Every structure is written in structure tokens, then in C-alpha cells.
Amino acid sequence: MPHSQTSAPRDSLAGVRLARGASPWLLPTVATAALSLAKARRSKGAAAVAVPATALAAGMLWFFRDPKREITQGRVISPADGVVQSIMPWKDGRTRVAIFMSPLNVHVNRAPLAGTVTSVEHIPGGFVPAFNKESENNERVVWHFDTELGDIEMIQIAGAVARRIVPYVPQGTKVEQGERIGLIRFGSRVDIYLPEGVEVDVEVGQKTVAGVTRIDRD
């Protein structure tokens, strides 16, 4: 169900709605662009820096955007913007839905169901491209939610460029469906495991929108 966001304030810059956790990357980039633009008329060197710096700053603003969403009603909704990379039955009866996020996607992830966060575990690992099967051994954060469907596992996986996953809520937090729960910086992947008996209503290659796309069927 739609809900009122209650988490801490997000970063902001000149009225742009940005993801929490953007500042360490964004502020130096924007500062460099602003400084080089200010000096561009008086310095050829600054002018040469101004164009790529401004382009990079614009790219960062786009990457770290955090749009409002009208949360879809349904049992399980997508935790991530991206494309369904694979749908795999698991040995324990669950079904894993893997969603690949390119650098062009919104990288704020949302709770797939309402419930209580029972575990948030950071696991060190490599930085293989997120579309590669070996990315399962990448740096990742494993979430468990106690929900009306039982335990739901979700994994945020860092990509080749990503170097930090930023959880927004700690263990023990009660979250609403569609609530923002974390950020993965740059290209990455999110896996969600549907419990046994829950049928998938998306297909490989389908685009998903966090908080909007329903991924199970009645």
C-alpha cells in the first residue's frame, strides 16, 4: 500500500531530489565543475576542464536521483529499477528473480513487502560486472524481512564500478512496502527470493520499476 516516507532527510543540491549517500561522490564533482566554470573565461586550462567536469556533474546528478513513486498494491513488488536478468528455481523451493541495474537506472532500492528487517549482513567480495554469473561472489548486503509471506531474502550486489552499498535502515526496523531501504553506487544487481508456492509474474528481459512493478501473481 502507498505509505508516507519517514526515513532521515536525503541529500539535496539546488533543489534536486537526491539519494541519501550521494554527497561523498557528488559534492566534489559539482564543486570542481563550478570552480572550473567560474575560471573558464580567464584560463584556457580551466575552460578545458569545465566541459568534462560539468558533464560528469550532470551525470552524477542523474545517477543519484531519487524520484517519488506511487507504490503499487500487490504481495511482492520490485525492489529495484532495472531489467530482469534471470529467474531461477532454488533447491529449497524458492524462486530467485535477479534484476540488473545499469548506471542509467535509479539506484535507490525499496522494500518488496511490508515487514520487519530481521537481518542486514554485509559480505565482502569482488567487483565483477553485475551481469556476469560470477557477480554472485561480489561485495553484497544480504537482507531478511519477516513478512506476511514468511522470511523474504533480498541481496544487493555491487558491480564492477560500485564500491559501496549504503543500507538506510538497521536490523529491527519495521518497513512499509515500497519504503526506501538502501542505495548501491553505480552498476549493480538486486536478487529477491520468492517463497515456495509464490508464482513469478515477470519474465527475463522485462523492465522493472522499484515500488511500481509487481513481480508475483495471485
Side-chain angles (χ1 to χ4, degrees):
M1 65 181 67
H3 81 288
S4 176
Q5 181 64 29
T6 58
S7 57
R10 286 162 293 280
D11 299 325
S12 63
L13 182 69
V16 178
R17 186 186 182 93
L18 301 174
R20 290 168 50 199
S23 295
W25 286 80
L26 185 60
L27 293 183
T29 306
V30 172
T32 300
L35 184 61
S36 59
L37 283 170
K39 295 182 176 181
R41 291 187 178 182
R42 302 188 303 272
S43 167
K44 290 183 178 180
V49 172
V51 173
T54 301
L56 181 59
M60 287 284 190
L61 284 169
W62 175 255
F63 176 83
F64 286 118
R65 69 199 186 278
D66 183 13
K68 291 183 178 180
R69 296 275 166 83
E70 291 295 328
I71 305 305
T72 296
Q73 294 191 14
R75 289 188 304 176
V76 187
I77 58 176
S78 177
D81 288 23
V83 175
V84 178
Q85 181 182 24
S86 64
I87 299 171
M88 293 182 59
W90 225 240
K91 293 179 180 179
D92 59 8
R94 296 181 300 167
T95 302
R96 187 189 71 183
V97 179
I99 300 171
F100 172 71
M101 297 185 293
S102 80
L104 298 179
N105 290 125
V106 172
H107 273 57
V108 175
N109 299 141
R110 294 174 178 263
L113 292 88
T116 300
V117 178
T118 57
S119 175
V120 185
E121 181 185 9
H122 172 261
I123 301 175
F127 296 97
V128 174
F131 54 79
N132 191 308
K133 185 180 185 300
E134 298 301 318
S135 66
E136 295 174 12
N137 297 317
N138 277 7
E139 182 98 4
R140 57 202 183 277
V141 170
V142 180
W143 296 76
H144 284 271
F145 303 89
D146 181 21
T147 76
E148 62 179 9
L149 294 180
D151 177 70
I152 296 293
E153 181 178 3
M154 189 190 90
I155 305 178
Q156 294 175 296
I157 303 174
V161 178
R163 287 297 184 271
R164 190 180 176 196
I165 300 170
V166 185
Y168 289 169
V169 297
Q171 179 179 338
T173 303
K174 291 185 178 181
V175 294
E176 297 294 332
Q177 187 175 48
E179 183 173 340
R180 298 169 177 87
I181 59 169
L183 168 73
I184 312 180
R185 291 173 178 162
F186 306 107
S188 41
R189 193 177 107 192
V190 173
D191 294 350
I192 180 169
Y193 291 79
L194 301 183
E196 184 175 8
V198 176
E199 296 185 31
V200 178
D201 198 31
V202 291
E203 57 187 23
V204 173
Q206 180 177 335
K207 292 183 178 180
T208 62
V209 179
V212 175
T213 304
R214 184 172 176 179
I215 60 175
D216 78 310
R217 74 163 58 97
D218 292 323

